[in-house]
Amino acid sequence: MLARITANEPAISGVLVPPADKSISHRALLFALLAEGTSRLEHLSTAHDVGATARMIELFGASVTGGGAETRITSPGLWGLREAADVVDMENSGTGVRLGIGVATLVPGITVFTGDTSLRQRPMARVLGPLRQLEASIWGRGGDAMLPVVVRGGKLKSGTVDLRIASAQVKSALLLAGLGIDGPVHVTEPVLTRPHTEELLELAGVALEESYTADGAHRVTIRGPAQPSPLTYSIPGDPSAAAFFVVAAAVIPEANLRVDGVYLGPTRSGFLDVLGTMGAAIERGDSDLVVEGTRLSGTVVQGLAIPSLIDEIPILCVGAAFAEGTSAFRDAGELRVKESDRIEATARLLEAFGVGVETFDDGLVVHGGLRPGSLRGKRRCISARLDHRIAMAAAILGLIAGGVTDIEGIETVATSYPGFFDDLRRLGSATVEIGEFDERDRP
């Protein structure tokens, strides 16, 4: 499937209500599985990734009904989980599978996880190794590095796990596994990562202990066994989805965009801090933003800032292309093992629009100076590379730069943001066409 973005005078304005947060939706479904009784989740994400997690919890014994305004999950709870009758196919969901592996240690019998071609190439050792430190029985393909992964559920041992690389997914898998362990599980991460699992644990009545070391490392302790209570919870808007339109509004002259109902916790709003250092005109409320277009300046993003904005780096690079001067993004080697190699995919995307880029093992440098609307009359064809964030970044870049941008493989956008192109039509000045185009009418 192909999207054609045709833009002359770039503009963006209006009110964006971003889709429900994908990271929180995954976790809320898993807590509803582990709670005995019925949980009610309002505005659960409709992303395909989250659908894979919903099907997983059904295989483990939960019933999922409703949708839209309210999804109801009825489950026998932690002590009533059942062995899946089939292989658990997580499609393209990296978050779902890594958290699901942690949950599977609580499930009697054998669980086999697989995924699509892309997911089967993504690293799983980062979660299997830490769970093995708690004596989990887990095996994976390629020397326990990739899917398919087999988990034999059973009693794990309490202990301490020090994570060398900050990862909210690994931390969450360990805390979920810890619910069934008789004794404490201590998890230390180099810096606080997304605390959604901790937030939902407390909401579900599970006590946690948190502290920080002298060098800034974050430690969280859970003491099992502990069964969560059913949740009644409304999922907030996804800042990672909103970031695409926020960047567009930040660089388009006379843009005015309001974002309502978005999660703005400190570990998810790092991209806003970066835009602020670049000179963006953004007003923040508790769960809303107002963005106006202005001229940005280059910046450097590295070190401890990276975990809070790793998913937003491709669209931040789009913003950097329109900034004065050079921007650098370093210490982001994890981008090489996402749905695509996002360092190379982002570089090729920018180069297609004439932007100068240098790549490194752990990041890239973007040479700014591109002007909004300066590529009117130009045409280019971009491959989404099976990566939803690259597809959406390409669409936003096409809107801002002008001209005609064809993006191949846009069906991947439904992985995280099924309504993205509808919002782009509504808020932006570009003409958006979706379909299959004659080869003779291609750039």
Side-chain angles (χ1 to χ4, degrees):
M1 188 72 69
L2 183 143
R4 174 164 292 167
I5 313 299
T6 304
N8 291 315
E9 295 296 332
I12 190 166
S13 63
V15 178
L16 172 68
V17 178
D21 189 87
K22 191 161 65 89
S23 294
I24 297 175
S25 293
H26 285 297
R27 290 161 170 83
L29 283 170
L30 294 173
F31 278 104
L33 167 70
L34 298 175
E36 182 179 2
T38 299
S39 294
R40 292 173 172 81
L41 304 178
E42 297 177 1
H43 308 300
L44 186 73
S45 170
T46 59
H48 286 186
D49 276 5
V50 175
T53 296
R55 290 186 288 276
M56 172 178 65
I57 71 170
E58 289 180 314
L59 286 171
F60 289 150
S63 169
V64 181
T65 58
E70 181 180 277
T71 302
R72 294 176 297 281
I73 300 95
T74 301
S75 176
L78 173 60
W79 313 120
L81 299 177
R82 71 182 184 211
E83 183 178 43
D86 202 350
V87 171
V88 180
D89 185 355
M90 296 305 297
E91 300 180 2
N92 193 240
S93 179
T95 299
V97 74
R98 293 189 181 108
L99 271 60
I101 288 170
V103 169
T105 66
L106 305 169
V107 179
I110 295 290
T111 304
V112 180
F113 289 95
T114 191
D116 65 12
T117 301
S118 171
L119 191 61
R120 290 198 304 272
Q121 301 306 312
R122 295 177 66 182
M124 294 296 143
R126 63 178 62 182
V127 67
L128 270 59
L131 284 168
R132 278 212 183 93
Q133 291 183 46
L134 303 178
E135 300 191 15
S137 298
I138 311 178
W139 304 268
R141 180 174 64 88
D144 298 330
M146 292 179 288
L147 295 174
V149 164
V150 179
V151 183
R152 181 186 295 278
K155 205 72 171 178
L156 274 60
K157 303 294 185 183
S158 63
T160 299
V161 181
D162 293 320
L163 299 179
R164 185 175 60 85
I165 298 174
S167 169
Q169 294 176 358
V170 177
K171 173 180 66 175
S172 297
L174 291 164
L175 294 175
L176 289 164
L179 290 169
I181 294 175
D182 187 8
V185 172
H186 311 281
V187 182
T188 301
E189 52 185 348
V191 62
L192 174 66
T193 60
R194 297 180 181 186
H196 303 320
T197 298
E198 295 96 309
E199 293 167 348
L200 289 173
L201 279 167
E202 293 184 334
L203 187 65
V206 178
L208 294 173
E209 300 167 21
E210 294 187 75
S211 62
Y212 289 87
T213 65
D215 60 357
H218 174 246
R219 169 174 278 201
V220 57
T221 298
I222 186 171
R223 298 181 186 276
Q227 179 168 264
S229 299
L231 295 173
T232 298
Y233 184 61
S234 180
I235 312 294
D238 191 335
S240 295
F244 293 93
F245 293 97
V246 169
V247 168
V251 301
I252 294 177
E254 300 183 12
N256 187 290
L257 177 73
R258 181 181 179 90
V259 182
D260 283 342
V262 63
Y263 181 96
L264 292 177
T267 61
R268 298 294 302 280
S269 58
F271 76 97
L272 294 174
D273 298 331
V274 170
L275 288 172
T277 65
M278 298 175 77
I282 302 176
E283 294 182 13
R284 296 196 215 185
D286 291 336
S287 60
D288 59 81
L289 302 167
V290 176
V291 190
E292 295 182 350
T294 188
R295 192 68 178 153
L296 303 184
S297 299
T299 191
V300 176
V301 186
Q302 60 189 354
L304 296 180
I306 293 297
S308 70
L309 52 79
I310 189 77
D311 289 334
E312 288 78 55
I313 287 178
I315 192 61
L316 285 172
C317 286
V318 169
F322 294 91
E324 294 285 359
T326 297
S327 296
F329 301 85
R330 302 300 298 261
D331 302 316
E334 183 183 344
L335 288 174
R336 295 226 179 249
V337 289
K338 293 288 188 176
E339 285 84 339
S340 68
D341 179 340
R342 282 188 184 153
I343 291 175
E344 293 301 326
T346 301
R348 302 293 83 77
L349 168 62
L350 295 174
E351 287 173 345
F353 285 77
V355 179
V357 185
E358 301 167 54
T359 61
F360 307 94
D361 288 344
D362 69 340
L364 63 169
V365 167
V366 180
H367 299 284
L370 192 64
R371 298 288 180 176
S374 62
L375 299 185
R376 287 188 294 268
K378 304 289 186 178
R379 304 186 71 179
R380 76 288 300 177
C381 186
I382 307 297
S383 170
R385 298 174 179 245
L386 302 176
D387 192 321
H388 53 121
R389 299 196 191 279
I390 297 301
M392 291 185 283
I396 294 297
L397 185 48
L399 164 70
I400 304 171
V404 179
T405 304
D406 282 354
I407 309 167
E408 295 181 312
I410 54 93
E411 56 272 15
T412 188
V413 169
T415 295
S416 63
Y417 195 164
F420 171 79
F421 288 105
D422 292 334
D423 284 342
L424 184 61
R425 288 189 183 99
R426 182 174 58 83
L427 298 169
S429 58
T431 299
V432 181
E433 303 170 83
I434 305 293
E436 301 290 346
F437 292 83
D438 193 301
E439 287 294 329
R440 293 169 296 181
D441 191 36
R442 298 282 291 281

